[in-house]
Amino acid sequence: MDKGKHFEGQIGSHVISLKTADSTNSIAMELGAGDAPHGTVVVASRQTMGRGRLGRLWVSPKGNISMSILLRPTLRPAELRLLTLSVAVSCAQALKKVTGVHIGIKWPNDLMVSGRKLGGILTETKLRGKRVIFVVVGIGINVNSDANDFSPELWRTATSLRAETGREVPKDILMTEMLDRIGFWYGMLTTGGRECILNEWRNLSSTLGRKIRISTGKETLKGFAEALDCEGNLVVRLCSGARKVISAGAVTMVR
Ligand code: BT5
């Protein structure tokens, strides 16, 4: 791979558009194992086996965005968290620009509107030793779906751009804007602009400054979301007064 080709404009210059996919992330991971170029995008109108983190299901009916981007970054594994944060920032900015809807980011990378989930990001990585061979960033956004596309339990915690705006939202314009923003922030990440990404994430965060409950898998903690550190970890002030740095977990807001 010619590392010199890793400039921002390349993301989205090669797009594979499918009617149905099991998971666009699975397809992009396969393409990554071959010689597909950096910036290849896989988009599907719907997914039959869309996935979230930790093997969770991602419901992906027609009308929504299911998209995965193959990247071959010259980043260290520890820097990939910032890549995911930068994609969350990109999506929040793009969706706001096209629809006017204010999107908050719930740590680490859920896209939220008024406490309901609008979208999510799943980053998967192929490493060789400590070297990043390629990364697939999968993005799912509820665009034109509505309550009929979800179970009542899921719709209670989810929303779509159509539900928020009361009108059909043009997916193509949205995707073009998202890819443009992702290219911009990717360029920033790879040219030393980490602090800018962290600051923009902090501006868009719906988690910082809130009382939260966080499940790390090992334990559930309650506290105050105090800060995002320079590696993208969440710094939580526990009820005991102690500070805890959390690198992975699921956050819920506490009133
Ligand atoms: C995520 O996981 O939020 C990451 C979702 C990434 C989906 C994209 S679509 C393109 C690409 N191809 C894939 O196969 N995946 C990526 P997580 O934080 O684990 O959230 C999953 C949880 O969100 C589920 O357990 C549900 O509770 C909820 N959920 C599922 N589908 C949803 C939807 N469409 N809208 C809102 N919430 C949903």
Side-chain angles (χ1 to χ4, degrees):
M1 194 71 202
D2 175 2
K3 297 295 180 198
K5 283 187 185 164
H6 292 178
F7 61 92
E8 59 182 77
Q10 248 192 337
I11 291 176
S13 56
H14 184 50
V15 178
I16 297 169
S17 197
L18 305 164
K19 273 203 171 128
T20 305
D22 50 356
S23 153
T24 54
N25 260 42
S26 300
I27 295 170
M29 289 297 283
E30 278 168 32
L31 292 170
D35 57 7
H38 168 83
T40 299
V41 173
V42 182
V43 189
S45 299
R46 59 185 277 272
Q47 295 183 119
T48 53
M49 282 171 60
R51 59 175 183 267
R53 295 171 301 159
L54 304 170
R56 290 189 281 254
L57 187 73
W58 182 257
V59 177
S60 322
K62 208 163 159 275
N64 289 353
I65 291 178
S66 301
M67 165 165 102
S68 299
I69 306 169
L70 170 66
L71 300 167
R72 299 185 186 276
T74 47
L75 296 172
R76 286 176 286 113
E79 293 172 309
L80 294 178
R81 168 183 293 270
L82 281 188
L83 172 63
T84 312
L85 296 184
S86 77
V87 172
V89 164
S90 305
C91 293
Q93 290 181 334
L95 303 187
K96 170 89 194 272
K97 183 172 172 194
V98 176
T99 65
V101 175
H102 178 77
I103 318 283
I105 307 174
K106 180 162 77 96
W107 187 83
N109 43 49
D110 281 350
L111 302 169
M112 309 293 291
V113 182
S114 313
R116 296 169 78 187
K117 186 157 169 171
L118 180 85
I121 297 167
L122 171 70
T123 301
E124 296 180 304
T125 309
K126 173 76 182 166
L127 299 175
R128 190 169 299 137
K130 285 187 179 156
R131 225 182 102 217
V132 176
I133 304 300
F134 64 84
V135 180
V136 168
V137 185
I139 305 163
I141 311 281
N142 300 331
V143 182
N144 290 315
S145 53
D146 59 23
N148 298 322
D149 298 306
F150 294 87
S151 67
E153 300 78 56
L154 187 52
W155 188 246
R156 262 196 286 281
T157 61
T159 189
S160 70
L161 290 170
R162 184 185 195 155
E164 295 299 325
T165 60
R167 60 188 152 82
E168 184 115 350
V169 175
K171 267 196 333 178
D172 289 354
I173 295 176
L174 219 48
M175 272 193 278
T176 305
E177 191 61 36
M178 283 160 64
L179 291 174
D180 186 65
R181 288 276 88 199
I182 291 167
F184 171 81
W185 285 110
Y186 182 78
M188 187 70 87
L189 178 63
T190 51
T191 53
R194 296 170 52 144
E195 203 47 48
C196 291
I197 294 168
L198 290 163
N199 281 336
E200 202 52 42
W201 189 98
R202 290 174 184 125
N203 284 338
L204 291 164
S205 165
S206 63
T207 305
L208 295 180
R210 303 279 304 270
K211 277 191 197 161
I212 59 162
R213 187 177 297 114
I214 183 157
S215 321
T216 63
K218 281 192 225 136
E219 55 186 345
T220 299
L221 304 163
K222 244 171 115 174
F224 179 75
E226 204 169 69
L228 182 78
D229 76 9
C230 60
E231 282 164 4
N233 300 309
L234 189 66
V235 181
V236 181
R237 175 78 59 185
L238 301 179
C239 300
S240 64
R243 277 171 101 231
K244 184 139 183 155
V245 177
I246 313 270
S247 61
V251 169
T252 38
M253 303 300 162
V254 179
R255 283 177 203 283

